[in-house]
Amino acid sequence: MPPVEYLNPDTSFKHWIASDLRFFRERDGRSLSQMALVMGCNRHTVSNIEHARDGWNMNEHQAERLDSCLRLNGHFQRLVRYARTAHDPDWFGDYAEREARALIIRTYRLSLIPGLFQTPEYARALITAFQMVEDIEAAVEGRMKRQEVLTRQKRPLVWVLLDENLLFRPVGDPQIMRDQLARLRDAAELPHVTIRVVPQRAGLHLGLDGSFNSLTMETGELVFVEAPGGGRLVQESGEVRDFGVRWDRIGASALPWDASRDLIIKAMEGFS
């Protein structure tokens, strides 16, 4: 097979893993199905990892099986470990795939409305202003599709902490902000969603370091820490616990649910 031309192992851990997986598979003359047996998955998973497709990432179990079978002295295990702890713009796809199956979602936002609650107009204004992608409408559609987690049959519990400043920060025109804050107000009324605001008068608090999400899965917990252009996944239990403490300490400074809702309404009225 010819190489996957768009892979760039020098700039992305995801692409590095994809490129090396294909290299070792072809070096040993293995088919996708044969490599799938080694990794303990199916051939489609191998193909998706080799092509670095969004939402498809090698896990620790697959890496361990590869290293053992191919005698690679922990090569793939190290790549996966560093990929999950390093800043990598490609790793959000892995987080989003897990978010869709999460039992509990916790999100803290310092500067912008969480993606799970953005209106199409608010999302479009952000994506356009930040020049994040070439196909803006596809990006907006993808963000709206991600919100389906809120209406799936087995809905997750969603806990949200917001810094007060983001409620008053204009994104787009006043109508966009009114509609966005109305969406946030309505979301706060949902039985499986709790939204609380950290007021300015709280002063310095741990949330000023930046935004993050945490997920509780059937198999454990993970955290996604945002950064410009990407972020990193945290799965090491000690660091996950540290973020749990951080969440609790930020929440200790937040307003109760009803006062938070009233503040959202006040902000919405300010854009009239």
Side-chain angles (χ1 to χ4, degrees):
M1 290 184 178
V4 181
E5 298 295 343
Y6 61 82
L7 292 181
N8 188 348
D10 293 327
T11 61
S12 167
F13 274 109
K14 186 182 182 79
H15 287 203
W16 188 355
I17 291 169
S19 179
D20 277 13
L21 177 60
R22 190 183 183 100
F23 170 80
F24 285 114
R25 180 174 65 79
E26 292 182 345
R27 183 199 67 176
D28 293 353
R30 298 176 191 267
S31 66
L32 290 171
S33 296
Q34 289 170 330
M35 188 59 96
L37 288 174
V38 172
M39 295 171 60
C41 58
N42 60 54
R43 65 184 304 275
H44 300 294
T45 297
V46 178
S47 177
N48 285 324
I49 294 174
E50 285 191 0
H51 285 81
R53 295 190 176 107
D54 287 346
W56 294 90
N57 294 289
M58 185 179 294
N59 61 40
E60 293 86 349
H61 177 67
Q62 293 162 350
E64 183 178 4
R65 290 178 62 119
L66 276 170
D67 288 336
S68 176
C69 179
L70 305 182
R71 299 182 179 181
L72 296 179
N73 191 32
H75 172 77
F76 280 106
Q77 292 173 81
R78 282 190 292 274
L79 282 180
V80 167
R81 183 166 61 252
Y82 282 117
R84 294 197 184 282
T85 57
H87 173 88
D88 190 336
D90 291 316
W91 225 250
F92 182 76
D94 191 24
Y95 167 80
E97 186 273 333
R98 297 180 188 219
E99 180 185 68
R101 298 182 285 107
L103 303 177
I104 301 173
I105 299 172
R106 293 182 178 87
T107 181
Y108 166 70
R109 282 295 172 276
L110 174 63
S111 57
L112 299 170
I113 301 294
L116 285 180
F117 301 101
Q118 290 177 10
T119 64
E121 294 76 20
Y122 184 96
R124 187 177 295 109
L126 283 179
I127 294 167
T128 301
F130 293 164
Q131 300 179 340
M132 298 166 64
V133 294
E134 292 185 5
D135 192 338
I136 294 174
E137 292 309 311
V140 172
E141 182 179 351
R143 190 162 297 185
M144 296 305 104
K145 185 171 180 60
R146 183 178 154 214
Q147 296 177 4
E148 292 176 1
V149 67
L150 298 174
T151 56
R152 73 188 190 200
Q153 186 173 5
K154 188 177 180 181
R155 299 175 184 178
L157 293 175
V158 182
W159 298 83
V160 182
L161 293 173
L162 305 175
D163 189 87
E164 178 182 355
N165 290 321
L166 67 81
L167 301 178
F168 297 92
R169 179 173 295 108
V171 173
D173 60 37
Q175 184 63 52
I176 288 176
M177 284 303 301
R178 282 197 301 273
D179 291 345
Q180 176 59 75
L181 292 170
R183 164 83 170 106
L184 199 61
R185 175 203 61 198
D186 294 345
E189 302 283 352
L190 296 173
H192 61 297
V193 175
T194 300
I195 297 176
R196 298 171 62 212
V197 177
V198 181
Q200 280 189 324
R201 66 173 182 267
L204 292 174
H205 60 85
L206 282 178
L208 295 177
D209 273 354
S211 303
F212 62 93
N213 298 345
S214 68
L215 303 179
T216 299
M217 315 292 295
E218 290 186 354
T219 55
E221 296 189 7
L222 62 91
V223 174
F224 182 77
V225 184
E226 293 196 346
R232 66 186 182 97
L233 275 178
V234 176
Q235 291 185 289
E236 195 278 323
S237 59
E239 193 172 1
V240 168
R241 283 194 301 271
D242 289 343
F243 273 97
V245 173
R246 179 180 293 258
W247 169 270
D248 290 340
R249 292 183 65 182
I250 296 170
S253 299
L255 297 172
W257 171 85
D258 53 350
S260 296
R261 178 200 56 199
D262 293 344
L263 187 55
I264 292 170
I265 294 172
K266 177 183 176 182
M268 182 173 62
E269 293 171 347
F271 286 101
S272 58

